[in-house]
Amino acid sequence: IIAKLDEGYFEALGVNALWISSPVKNTEKSGKGMNDDYQYSAYHSYWPIATGWTDENPLPELSSPLEDHFGSDGELRELVRKAHAKGIRVLVDFVANHVHLDSPLWALHKNDGWFNMAPAGKPANQNGGYNCGWDAPIECWFTDYLPDFDYRNKELLDLVLDHAVWLVQEYDFDGFRMDAVKHMVMAFTTGMRSRIQQEVVTTGIPFYMVGETFDGDRNKIAEYIGADKLDGQFDFPLYFVVRDAILQHTQPLTNLAAFANDNDTYYTNRWSGAIMSNFLGNHDVRRALTLAGGNTSDAHKRLRMAQTFLMTSPGIPLIYQGDDIGMEGGDDPDNRRMMIFGAALSTEQQATLNHLKKLGAARKNHPALRTGIRTTLIAEADLWAYRMKKDSDEAIIVLNRSGQSTARQLATTLTGTLTDVVSGTTTTVSGGTITVSVPAMTSAVYTK
């Protein structure tokens, strides 16, 4: 990451925030996955053993709280320092739902009411917990080697929140991606917000907390967002529609248009401060390119069109490592292949990367693409044109997923000549309209 910061890779994409894996130390042991017999290591950093560490409360048998496979204490500080020097914020994954059996907290407090044990009538695993079991999301253990915290215990809650605040203050992080939010009692989320507000947000610069609630129910997603909770969540409900309408063509674009137009204000109508994060892929779902058909020209075109939607929508776009170039990958862990750069990219991958760079620059330069209001101009099964507008700034976006080029007239409040940031094509406003010609399986973003 440091090397790519020095190279300017992220700035070229318009990226101004990095979400990195949890830096907290994990077990050295392997274990079987939830639904298969494969043995996994803790390479993903979701089996922590140093949760609870602070300088005032170092954990026994651990010499450091950091995952040294990722680098040293000094290198983590260097990463944050160099990112901040470039105006790039750093968010870390915060894994609070559970620890690994190797955690000193399990050995010290397994009989002290710190962990959820099997509820009455539920089968207990070898360590006394109830394996998921999604019918008991708060109490369930993901596996029998991941003891599940019970945050109804105030001593435990205070310890982990102390650890979270220490982590932020020690390494100057700018936000948390909160893992497995719906598997913890709400007191953890509200407690985290309260402590961050009291002890971290002292300069007026917001500390962004975004949650992971893997659910298609918007009401469930919204439960955890508010002034005393999370700033936003990863928008899984929107992802499912984008996946179907753009990547897989199993829904018409009219469905996406209708959903997006409502979704743009769905969460802010409940709390005006909500800032959602939109995505095309993450470490829990199949790669966007794979869903689009694999390493083919057609699949890359679908991915680029999805990128266009992502980068011209309100909220914070998440670019999952590898979706910037179009990497393949099936279910976890195949969706976590090693990243490639430069000469290793195929012609299609380089074209996909260049496409995203253009979109990143446009989003950076145009407030309308970040926080504008979306108005649909045309909605058809294979064509969607919409306007993004904020004050005097405006952009016209066209998604043409059909197999044929299309020419249309679209209304605009702008005057003069507009340019498609993707192709460089220009069009002149006449009588409050522009005529655009969009080739098959491509998208356009016209701006002043």
Side-chain angles (χ1 to χ4, degrees):
I1 297 173
I2 292 171
K4 289 303 166 185
L5 280 166
D6 290 341
E7 181 185 305
Y9 186 86
F10 303 111
E11 293 162 291
L13 286 171
V15 167
N16 59 8
L18 300 176
W19 158 32
I20 65 173
S21 300
S22 169
V24 176
K25 189 170 185 61
N26 276 241
T27 182
E28 293 287 344
K29 294 178 181 176
S30 64
K32 291 182 179 180
M34 288 178 61
N35 301 310
D36 53 48
D37 290 329
Y38 294 107
Q39 288 285 328
Y40 295 92
S41 72
Y43 70 93
H44 41 53
S45 202
Y46 288 114
W47 299 347
I49 62 173
T51 306
W53 177 293
T54 65
D55 287 341
E56 293 75 26
N57 182 42
L59 299 181
E61 301 180 12
L62 297 179
S63 59
S64 166
L66 293 185
E67 179 48 74
D68 54 6
H69 289 90
F70 292 162
S72 67
D73 177 278
E75 287 168 329
L76 180 57
R77 296 177 193 276
E78 180 186 0
L79 185 160
V80 176
R81 184 175 66 253
K82 286 189 169 181
H84 286 173
K86 291 174 173 285
I88 297 175
R89 298 188 182 187
V90 180
L91 289 72
V92 291
D93 224 319
F94 194 75
V95 184
N97 175 69
H98 56 267
V99 289
H100 189 271
L101 287 173
D102 284 348
S103 167
L105 296 185
W106 171 250
L108 292 170
H109 298 287
K110 60 184 176 182
N111 297 318
D112 296 340
W114 284 34
F115 297 92
N116 287 305
M117 295 306 184
K122 302 295 184 183
N125 63 34
Q126 60 184 342
N127 293 300
Y130 171 55
N131 284 9
C132 291
W134 304 113
D135 57 319
I138 299 296
E139 293 83 7
C140 77
W141 293 27
F142 289 151
T143 72
D144 58 7
Y145 52 81
L146 296 177
D148 191 84
F149 279 141
D150 184 353
Y151 284 112
R152 291 166 290 198
N153 183 298
K154 189 175 185 304
E155 187 179 1
L156 167 65
L157 177 62
D158 288 343
L159 179 79
V160 175
L161 294 181
D162 286 346
H163 168 70
V165 171
W166 170 82
L167 197 63
V168 173
Q169 293 177 336
E170 184 72 13
Y171 295 101
D172 201 16
F173 295 133
D174 305 292
F176 282 146
R177 180 266 189 185
M178 303 280 284
D179 183 55
V181 171
K182 70 178 180 180
H183 294 285
M184 298 178 286
V185 293
M186 191 66 78
F188 178 82
T189 300
T190 56
M192 178 71 82
R193 169 58 72 194
S194 177
R195 291 288 300 275
I196 291 293
Q197 288 297 115
Q198 293 174 32
E199 301 174 56
V200 174
V201 184
T202 59
T203 62
I205 298 175
F207 183 92
Y208 183 61
M209 295 204 310
V210 59
E212 180 250 351
T213 301
F214 197 147
D215 202 297
D217 182 349
R218 290 194 295 185
N219 286 326
K220 172 61 70 174
I221 298 284
E223 284 179 20
Y224 298 90
I225 301 171
D228 60 339
K229 301 171 188 172
L230 301 175
D231 296 293
Q233 296 232 58
F234 289 112
D235 199 336
F236 277 92
L238 178 62
Y239 160 75
F240 293 132
V241 184
V242 174
R243 177 197 65 188
D244 294 348
I246 300 182
L247 296 176
Q248 296 193 306
H249 291 197
T250 58
Q251 289 190 37
L253 284 176
T254 48
N255 285 19
L256 175 58
F259 188 88
N261 287 332
D262 176 64
N263 201 64
D264 287 349
T265 57
Y266 184 86
Y267 301 97
T268 53
N269 284 342
R270 284 155 178 76
W271 177 52
S272 61
I275 308 174
M276 300 296 285
S277 182
N278 310 319
F279 63 96
L280 306 178
N282 62 30
H283 58 290
D284 287 325
V285 298
R286 293 185 177 187
R287 283 283 186 182
L289 189 73
T290 295
L291 291 170
N295 190 24
T296 66
S297 176
D298 180 75
H300 273 277
K301 289 177 180 178
R302 295 184 185 201
L303 175 57
R304 289 169 207 152
M305 190 174 301
Q307 288 177 342
T308 298
F309 171 78
L310 179 72
M311 299 297 281
T312 61
S313 293
I316 301 177
L318 163 68
I319 304 166
Y320 177 47
Q321 171 187 305
D323 285 350
D324 44 343
I325 60 173
M327 290 181 67
E328 291 184 280
D331 294 329
D332 169 20
D334 189 45
N335 55 2
R336 309 182 190 192
R337 302 180 192 180
M338 286 295 290
M339 184 66 181
I340 60 174
F341 301 97
L345 302 186
S346 69
T347 300
E348 289 289 354
Q349 287 176 324
Q350 187 61 58
T352 296
L353 179 62
N354 291 341
H355 180 81
L356 186 58
K357 286 180 178 180
K358 294 174 182 177
L359 294 170
R363 186 177 179 88
K364 182 178 181 179
N365 294 330
H366 291 278
L369 296 180
R370 303 192 300 271
T371 57
I373 295 174
R374 190 193 323 258
T375 302
T376 289
L377 304 175
I378 299 175
E380 299 173 357
D382 293 321
L383 180 77
W384 182 24
Y386 55 91
R387 176 195 303 123
M388 294 297 296
K389 183 172 176 57
K390 182 177 178 63
D391 301 325
S392 62
D393 188 42
E394 181 178 311
I396 304 294
I397 298 92
V398 185
L399 309 179
N400 177 20
R401 77 171 201 186
S402 75
Q404 298 178 339
S405 177
T406 184
R408 298 298 179 96
Q409 284 193 324
L410 303 171
T412 179
T413 63
L414 297 173
T415 60
T417 300
L418 308 186
T419 302
D420 173 19
V421 302
V422 176
S423 67
T425 301
T426 60
T427 184
T428 302
V429 180
S430 175
T433 64
I434 55 173
T435 299
V436 299
S437 180
V438 184
M441 289 296 295
T442 64
S443 55
V445 180
Y446 281 91
T447 62
K448 184 77 171 182

